[in-house]
């Protein structure tokens, strides 16, 4: 079977020798390597850079890398290229094919800033370090004798150090600064064309294993799904999980096809019942895997114009994929405990399991199994024992705050009154598809919406449970349309929808302010005798400028604020420092990036609340325009149903983080009520302990520096722990293990309080 390549640039479809194409690229697979899609979307293996004598790449060509890399720095360039700075210790990976079997290669890096040691590893083996105290310029960091074959060269980038380029050479006398023209033809004139190979299964970790399927357990929101290690072959694979009642547990299990597998084998993967005090049936689970496809890369908003393989969409099977708008058919949008794929030896799949624990599940231990293996011989399947501990804690179905998302689609029944620009045909979806989308949102914890379908969508929203807050973006409100607005508000009230707001302006500039303020005054003047300064309705403005935020903070009550605004004008922190209480309720918005699932968990979860936002509203559930980027959380199957992505799963995980915070807050409120009645010292001590847990798990979060802005109000109005954390520490380096630890600490504190109430204040 011919696989589709992850590389689209012609230079990367061939073997690269010191910047030149090698004829070895030609052959029967040349069409696939050039980017033509086949019937399978596996795209597992990427061509490597062939190194015979000397080869080089830039760090920027290796991006996107894990989110620990803050950003390129525009003020510093080299050969017209931006260096890559790390906000926390991180790694750049280069996939290299060494030609010479016994040659020694010298490893050079060009660094910018910092005084430290830059290390390197080749297939996990440290490179001999020859130089420490790296500052600026080219530095030889070691040498290797790799032997012929494909290798992973990992460069360990320390905090606050910039990396420009990486060089491999057999010439021990070469000094790159002096010999640029001779050693690297064309280096001074242009950069490598396309993206350097960075991504492929680390097959060397599985060389001693012979099972058909070898499994391991990476972090579920890791940006690099190929960097994982297998389980211990001496111990049957197992995974211990925990959950509260009413929670969806999400777990990643990676599988590597071993040598016993046949070429193009059909692999089945499924989860059985979880048996404990009661049975959690398999029908409450969903099994998917991340489909790898090429995308134009974006690094925290910076378009690199390079392509990279990305495992983003979570599918049930991988057959029939053609491009981003034509995905595998057969109801990919329907959840279930079963998935299948076509694999050959050396291929990998990253499976994602979602276990839905019913809200009335009694506490205890539940046992089940995840199975993956060849359909032709299921007796050889690998079985992963699953042990689920259900805590004596039930999560509320609702998430505190306003948890919304942009939904730029309209039910077909609302035609032609749609608020999506000129309302192209792609903006209208059949009513049953819209209802399916809304149910998927509600299942993830979304309870609010920026709805482009107008007031006609209100009954659908109420039916799906998205009834906390609705912003209608179908048409800008007007003081002359009060009769219609009154009717819409009455309809919302009858449906139990908490608040209906109207989208007055999207991302106004400073030049728009005079007209916008005049319009807001006119809307307010048309109001009734309500005590609200924003009668007769709530107004929403999407803000992406600190100066606009400062001008509007007392004039709108629903401000959907782009994350840049936080740093540019101290954003929500300004609310804490203000001598009065501005009416604006800041809602965080950002453009989704399916290459950064960990970011989605953090921004959808604890971080916005920790710094002062009262809710979220990212763009978007799905972009109605043809996909030129990754700014949405779902894609469509052939039937129009939404297929979740890793970003969507991560966003739901973030909302669950908030639900655990809510559980702790509810337990604290109940404990304080009992303490006021009985004053038991043990209960008071438990409350103090729980408050400390809350401070450490929620308030004491590393301070982000995504865009390089700093807020001077931090020391004055932030919590004390924030001021003690170095600004170079990036929130986005907080990994799943850490976030899960915070989540478990909050759960244990809530359980401790419930026990303390029972002991101290028996009824």
């Amino acid at each position: 079977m011919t696989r589709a390549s992850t590389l689209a640039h012609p230079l990367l479809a061939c073997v690269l020798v010191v910047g030149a194409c090698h004829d070895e690229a030609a052959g029967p697979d040349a069409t696939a390597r050039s980017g033509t899609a086949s019937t399978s979307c596996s795209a597992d293996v990427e061509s490597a850079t062939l190194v015979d004598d000397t080869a080089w790449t830039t760090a920027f060509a290796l991006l996107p890398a894990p989110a620990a890399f803050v950003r390129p720095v525009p003020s510093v360039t080299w050969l017209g290229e931006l260096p890559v700075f790390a906000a926390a210790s991180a790694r750049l990976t280069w996939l290299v094919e060494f030609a010479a079997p016994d040659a020694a290669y010298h490893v050079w890096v060009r660094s910018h800033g910092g005084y430290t040691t830059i290390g390197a590893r080749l297939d996990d083996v440290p490179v001999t370090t020859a130089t420490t105290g790296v500052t600026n310029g080219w530095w030889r960091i070691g040498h290797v004798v790799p032997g012929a074959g494909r290798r992973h060269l990992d460069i360990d980038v320390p905090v606050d150090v910039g990396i420009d380029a990486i060089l491999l050479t057999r010439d021990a006398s070469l000094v790159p600064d002096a010999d640029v023209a001779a050693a690297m033809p064309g280096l001074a004139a242009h950069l490598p064309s396309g993206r350097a190979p960075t991504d492929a299964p680390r097959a060397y970790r599985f060389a001693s294993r012979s099972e058909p399927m070898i499994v391991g357990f990476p972090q579920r929101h890791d940006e690099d799904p190929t960097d994982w290690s297998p389980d211990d072959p001496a111990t049957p694979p197992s995974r211990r999980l925990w959950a509260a009642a009413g929670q969806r547990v999400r777990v990643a299990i990676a599988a590597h096809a071993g040598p016993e597998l046949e070429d193009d084998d059909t692999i089945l993967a499924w989860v059985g019942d979880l048996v404990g005090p009661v049975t959690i049936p398999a029908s409450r689970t969903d099994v998917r895997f991340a489909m790898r496809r090429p995308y134009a890369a974006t690094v925290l908003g910076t378009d690199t114009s390079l392509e990279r393989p990305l495992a983003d969409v979570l599918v049930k099977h991988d057959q029939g994929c053609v491009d981003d708008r034509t995905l595998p058919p057969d109801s990919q949008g329907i959840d279930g405990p079963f998935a299948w794929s076509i694999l050959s030896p050396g291929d990998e799949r990253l499976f994602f399991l979602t276990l839905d624990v019913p809200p009335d599940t009694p506490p205890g231990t539940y046992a089940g199994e995840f199975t993956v293996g060849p359909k032709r011989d299921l007796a050889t399947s690998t079985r992963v024992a699953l042990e689920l501990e259900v805590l004596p804690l039930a999560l509320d179905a609702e998430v505190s705050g306003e948890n919304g998302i942009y939904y730029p689609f309209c039910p077909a029944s609302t035609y032609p009154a749609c608020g999506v620009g000129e309302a192209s045909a792609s903006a209208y979806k059949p009513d049953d598809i819209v209802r399916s989308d809304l149910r998927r949102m509600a299942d993830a914890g979304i309870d609010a919406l920026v709805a482009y379908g107008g007031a006609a969508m209100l009954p659908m929203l109420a039916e799906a449970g998205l009834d906390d807050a609705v912003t209608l973006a179908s048409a800008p409100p007007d003081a002359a349309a009060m009769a219609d607005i009154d009717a819409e508000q009455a309809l919302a009230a009858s449906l139990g929808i908490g608040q209906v707001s109207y989208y007055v302006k999207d991302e106004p500039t400073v030049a728009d302010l005079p007209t916008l303020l005049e319009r807001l005054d006119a809307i307010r003047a048309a109001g009734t005798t309500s005590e609200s300064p924003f009668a007769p309705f709530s107004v929403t403005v999407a803000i992406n400028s600190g100066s606009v935020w400062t001008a509007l903070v007392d004039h709108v009550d629903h401000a959907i604020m782009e994350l840049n605004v936080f740093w540019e004008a101290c954003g929500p922190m300004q609310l804490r420092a203000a001598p009065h209480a501005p009416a604006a309720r800041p809602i965080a918005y950002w453009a989704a990036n399916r290459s950064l699932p960990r970011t989605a968990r953090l921004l959808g979860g604890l971080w916005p609340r920790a710094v002062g936002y009262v809710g979220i509203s990212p763009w978007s559930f799905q972009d109605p325009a043809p996909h030129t980027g990754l700014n949405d959380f779902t894609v469509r199957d052939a039937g129009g149903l939404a297929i979740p992505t890793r970003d969507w799963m991560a966003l739901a995980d973030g909302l669950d983080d908030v639900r655990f915070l809510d559980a702790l807050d509810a337990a604290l409120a109940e404990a304080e009520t009992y303490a006021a009645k009985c004053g038991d010292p043990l209960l008071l001590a438990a409350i103090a302990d729980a408050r400390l847990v809350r401070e450490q798990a929620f308030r004491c979060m590393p301070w982000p520096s995504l865009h390089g802005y700093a807020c001077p109000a931090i020391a004055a109005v932030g919590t004390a722990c924030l001021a003690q954390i170095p600004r170079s520490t990036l929130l986005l380096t907080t990994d799943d293990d850490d976030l899960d630890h915070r989540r478990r600490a909050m759960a244990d504190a809530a359980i401790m309080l419930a026990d303390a109430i029972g002991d101290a204040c028996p009824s």
Side-chain angles (χ1 to χ4, degrees), residues 665-729:
D665 286 344
L668 277 166
E670 183 181 15
E672 287 167 347
T673 299
Y674 276 97
K677 296 177 181 178
C678 63
D680 183 88
L682 293 179
L683 179 56
L684 292 173
I687 291 172
D689 289 344
R691 288 207 167 278
L692 179 60
V693 167
R694 188 185 191 278
E695 190 75 7
Q696 293 174 339
F698 172 51
R699 288 295 183 192
C700 291
M701 300 199 73
W703 194 255
S705 56
L706 275 174
H707 299 274
Y709 296 113
C711 174
I714 292 174
V717 298
T719 56
C721 58
L722 286 179
Q724 299 168 8
I725 296 175
R727 183 172 171 273
S728 61
T729 303

Side-chain angles (χ1 to χ4, degrees), residues 6 65 92 209 269 277 289 320 413 571 586 611:
T6 61
L92 288 170
R209 305 288 290 270
F289 61 89
S413 59
V611 300

Side-chain angles (χ1 to χ4, degrees), residues 220-221 250 399-404 444-446 563 576 586-590 596-618 633 647-662 665 694 697-699 701-702 731-732 734 736 739-740 742-743 746:
R220 60 190 178 279
H221 301 312
R250 301 169 182 92
V399 186
S400 65
E402 182 178 319
N403 305 289
I446 297 295
L563 290 177
R576 296 182 184 174
I587 308 296
Y589 89 86
W590 67 95
L596 298 173
R598 185 175 299 157
T599 308
R601 177 175 180 181
L602 289 157
L603 297 184
L606 295 175
W607 180 77
R609 279 82 174 176
V611 300
Y613 290 102
V614 299
I616 62 170
S617 189
F633 286 96
D647 248 28
W648 182 254
M649 176 182 285
L651 181 72
D653 252 344
L655 292 170
D656 274 352
D657 291 338
V658 179
R659 293 169 74 204
F660 278 95
L661 176 65
D662 293 345
D665 286 344
R694 188 185 191 278
F698 172 51
R699 288 295 183 192
M701 300 199 73
L731 175 69
L732 301 185
T734 305
D736 291 323
L739 288 171
D740 288 345
R742 293 171 187 250
R743 180 190 282 186
M746 291 187 287

Side-chain angles (χ1 to χ4, degrees), residues 8-69:
H9 195 284
L11 278 181
L12 292 182
C14 60
V15 181
L16 181 64
V17 183
V18 196
C21 281
H22 195 283
D23 289 341
E24 288 176 15
D29 290 336
T31 301
R33 281 194 294 268
S34 68
T36 303
S38 69
T39 56
S40 170
C41 289
S42 56
D44 288 293
V45 179
E46 178 177 325
S47 299
T49 300
L50 180 65
V51 180
D52 186 2
D53 182 65
T54 299
W56 59 277
T57 187
T58 62
F60 197 70
L62 296 175
L63 285 176
F69 291 96

Side-chain angles (χ1 to χ4, degrees), residues 1 3 40-45 201 211-215 228 253-269 289-292 317-319 339-351 370 372-376:
M1 178 179 69
R3 294 184 180 84
S40 170
C41 289
S42 56
D44 288 293
V45 179
E211 309 97 298
M213 298 301 298
I214 307 157
V215 298
W228 58 279
I253 299 179
H256 180 94
E260 295 299 316
L261 209 66
E262 296 180 357
D263 286 342
D264 301 337
D265 244 347
T266 299
I267 300 301
L268 307 182
F289 61 89
M291 184 167 66
R292 296 168 58 76
H317 69 82
D318 57 2
Q319 301 307 290
W340 64 275
S341 180
I342 302 294
L343 296 178
S344 296
D347 290 347
E348 291 184 354
R349 290 292 177 268
L350 183 60
F351 290 95
F370 169 73
V372 56
K375 179 181 178 182
R376 59 179 171 76

